[in-house]
Amino acid sequence: MEEFLHSEFFEWVEKAVALIRTYEGDKITVVHHNDADGICSAALLSKVCEYLGFKSEFICIEKVYPALIERIHRDRDGMIIYTDLAGLAAEMIDRINAGKSRVLIIDHHPAKDIESDTVHVLDPELAGISGDIFVSASSLNYIFFRVLAGKDAMDYAYIAVLGSVGDYHDRSGGVLGFDRFALSEAIEKDQVKVKLEGVRERYYIEKFGEYADVIAQYLTTLGAVGYERRGYRLGIKACFDGFDERTLKMVSELEELKERKFEEMIERLKKGELKQEKYTQWFHVRDFFSPMGVKTVGEFCQLIKDMSFVNDSKYLVGFQDKPKSIPDIGEIEWNCVKMSGRIPTSLERRVLRGEMPGLDYLVPKASETVGGFADATHKIAAATIIDKGKEEDFIKAFERLVEDYEATRS
Ligand SMILES: [Mn+2]
């Protein structure tokens, strides 16, 4: 621990710890992401609440949509902790919260700090430390817990390792930085053994009798594929109790379900449901992917983008209905669809050379024309949310934008 004592980052953690220590209410609401890192973060925060004697409520969401934030803050007060998401949403949360609750955002994604008396951001990105490489949300929550509770927190170090691996922080051969600090404590406590496979480290977790990458995949399946069935709840529980037969059965059922739905959808697209425009090919899964979360349509596009039935010179766009009912929250007054875009490899080359426009240009612009907001855009992968019924207008706008881009180049 000593090596962190003098860092600026450590002072930030202490400030966050002071916020929870001085909280005078009796209940804390934890809003967390639905992937393995988010589930492990929630598990660690459940122990933080237990340690301090607070009651806790857990809300699992896929993204920080304003409508969800409004509902969460309308119906609750006291202290609300967001974790593994919301780093960039502090301003929006502050506006919606309007001074009502004490809010702490514990995230490792790119973040924006704000001046606020009630909303506070703890994020390594703000201290110049890459949250994508050196610290998962789980490791951050572990350090938060560790500073708060001292060595008592070490009993849960393995959960941080699980979360880091869930976010692929071992991709360079092993986890680094603050993730490695959590790993070293888990090793010290005999919770984890490092096995070297070639040039890659794997982390064997004694509690599960299994490697961290395997367990992290179970958690992701529970949280993402089983989102509408609240699979993440079983995931949080499994972090402490291990995977019982019922949970393992749910994992394998969900994996089969996903495979079956994906295969069926591919057949449907081959039989004509993949609509062809001049520059775009697109489809709509409606609610066929339920109970999987809306991230699924993106994963599906990624899977099929280079298959032989997909035209390799056209953009690939998929839509999925956003369910009206959000687990842990209830009915939300919205009527919208998630759009995901990907680019087949041969078109991707032309995009990267600048001959064709990227999705980071097309998707926000096309969304704007139909009044939507683009949530996450990169050159070769992008997503947005638009109103239901606007799908064809979106495609038309998308087509026009590509056409205009081509016209200005020739
Ligand atoms: Mn994460």
Side-chain angles (χ1 to χ4, degrees):
M1 208 68 191
E2 279 62 38
E3 64 251 52
F4 299 119
L5 277 172
H6 304 289
S7 70
E8 184 196 355
F9 180 61
F10 185 83
E11 282 168 33
W12 288 33
V13 177
E14 279 199 313
K15 268 186 214 159
V17 165
L19 283 171
I20 198 168
R21 269 195 197 288
T22 56
Y23 170 56
E24 287 174 348
D26 61 351
K27 187 197 142 188
I28 291 181
T29 305
V30 174
V31 183
H32 66 97
H33 195 211
N34 67 326
D35 66 3
D37 190 31
I39 288 171
C40 291
S41 293
L44 286 161
L45 287 174
S46 77
K47 287 293 157 187
V48 167
C49 291
E50 214 177 283
Y51 180 80
L52 293 171
F54 293 119
K55 282 184 273 180
S56 52
E57 179 193 1
F58 290 83
I59 298 175
C60 182
I61 64 176
E62 296 190 88
K63 265 212 162 94
V64 279
Y65 301 112
L68 298 187
I69 306 305
E70 273 163 25
R71 179 65 62 86
I72 291 167
H73 287 250
R74 187 196 76 188
D75 295 348
R76 289 159 192 84
D77 52 18
M79 184 161 185
I80 301 175
I81 301 180
Y82 286 87
T83 195
D84 198 26
L85 37 75
L88 275 177
E91 235 170 63
M92 184 244 294
I93 292 172
D94 192 38
R95 186 167 24 84
I96 291 169
N97 184 53
K100 189 182 175 196
S101 292
R102 180 177 291 193
V103 178
L104 177 57
I105 297 170
I106 304 180
D107 193 14
H108 70 134
H109 295 101
K112 220 178 127 196
D113 202 6
I114 52 160
E115 286 293 326
S116 166
D117 293 333
T118 40
V119 177
H120 309 272
V121 186
L122 174 63
D123 191 314
E125 292 274 340
L126 295 173
I129 300 163
S130 168
D132 184 41
I133 301 174
F134 302 114
V135 52
S136 62
S138 306
S139 294
L140 185 56
N141 280 297
Y142 176 70
I143 290 165
F144 177 69
F145 190 16
R146 184 73 169 75
V147 170
L148 177 77
K151 295 204 163 180
D152 285 356
M154 287 176 76
D155 290 347
Y156 307 102
Y158 68 96
I159 298 176
V161 178
L162 210 48
S164 303
V165 171
D167 267 9
Y168 307 106
H169 284 198
D170 58 343
R171 61 184 176 263
S172 62
V175 297
L176 304 166
F178 291 89
D179 293 331
R180 199 150 193 99
F181 165 71
L183 172 69
S184 69
E185 299 222 310
I187 293 169
E188 192 184 322
K189 283 294 211 175
D190 290 325
Q191 298 160 358
V192 173
K193 281 198 173 61
V194 179
K195 307 255 163 119
L196 205 58
E197 284 185 6
V199 292
R200 177 182 170 222
E201 287 179 356
R202 282 184 91 193
Y203 308 121
Y204 184 83
I205 304 193
E206 295 289 348
K207 177 173 207 83
F208 306 112
E210 186 51 274
Y211 288 101
D213 47 305
V214 176
I215 300 295
Q217 188 54 51
Y218 291 172
L219 293 178
T220 297
T221 298
L222 287 169
V225 186
Y227 178 62
E228 287 173 32
R229 292 186 192 161
R230 289 195 169 97
Y232 47 84
R233 288 273 165 101
L234 290 175
I236 294 175
K237 197 171 164 296
C239 284
F240 304 111
D241 303 341
F243 286 79
D244 57 16
E245 225 156 276
R246 180 171 150 247
T247 310
L248 284 173
K249 193 161 165 257
M250 183 164 180
V251 169
S252 63
E253 275 172 10
L254 287 168
E255 276 165 359
E256 277 163 32
L257 175 106
K258 180 168 129 181
E259 208 170 303
R260 200 172 64 239
K261 294 238 172 193
F262 276 16
E263 272 168 23
E264 242 181 279
M265 199 63 219
I266 288 171
E267 283 314 306
R268 281 170 52 181
L269 296 186
K270 282 182 182 166
K271 283 187 185 135
E273 282 192 42
L274 187 60
K275 297 192 185 74
Q276 301 292 337
E277 312 292 341
K278 190 172 171 202
Y279 302 102
T280 323
Q281 51 201 325
W282 62 285
F283 61 94
H284 207 316
V285 306
R286 312 263 168 215
D287 64 354
F288 182 66
F289 283 170
S290 175
M292 302 185 267
V294 290
K295 225 182 157 179
T296 316
V297 68
E299 198 187 332
F300 182 72
C301 285
Q302 184 69 29
L303 175 78
I304 65 166
K305 74 185 183 70
D306 289 314
M307 287 187 178
S308 56
F309 71 94
V310 173
N311 187 323
D312 67 357
S313 61
K314 291 182 187 178
Y315 297 91
L316 176 64
V317 168
F319 295 101
Q320 181 179 356
D321 288 351
K322 256 189 99 47
K324 281 203 162 162
S325 178
I326 302 293
D328 302 337
I329 292 182
E331 293 281 310
I332 296 282
E333 290 306 315
W334 62 20
N335 199 10
C336 49
V337 296
K338 160 93 171 229
M339 169 272 163
S340 249
R342 292 293 187 277
I343 309 184
T345 303
S346 89
L347 176 59
E348 183 182 309
R349 285 192 206 106
R350 300 187 61 205
V351 167
L352 295 176
R353 283 198 296 264
E355 293 165 20
M356 293 290 276
L359 294 173
D360 55 340
Y361 166 77
L362 295 168
V363 171
K365 286 252 182 221
S367 302
E368 241 171 66
T369 62
V370 296
F373 71 95
D375 328 86
T377 61
H378 309 278
K379 250 191 171 55
I380 56 168
T384 189
I385 300 287
I386 61 169
D387 286 343
K388 208 175 204 164
K390 298 273 189 191
E391 293 90 334
E392 297 204 11
D393 292 344
F394 176 90
I395 295 292
K396 271 183 206 140
F398 193 100
E399 288 278 307
R400 209 162 40 238
L401 286 161
V402 184
E403 200 154 45
D404 291 350
Y405 185 93
E406 279 211 311
T408 55
R409 278 186 53 88
S410 53

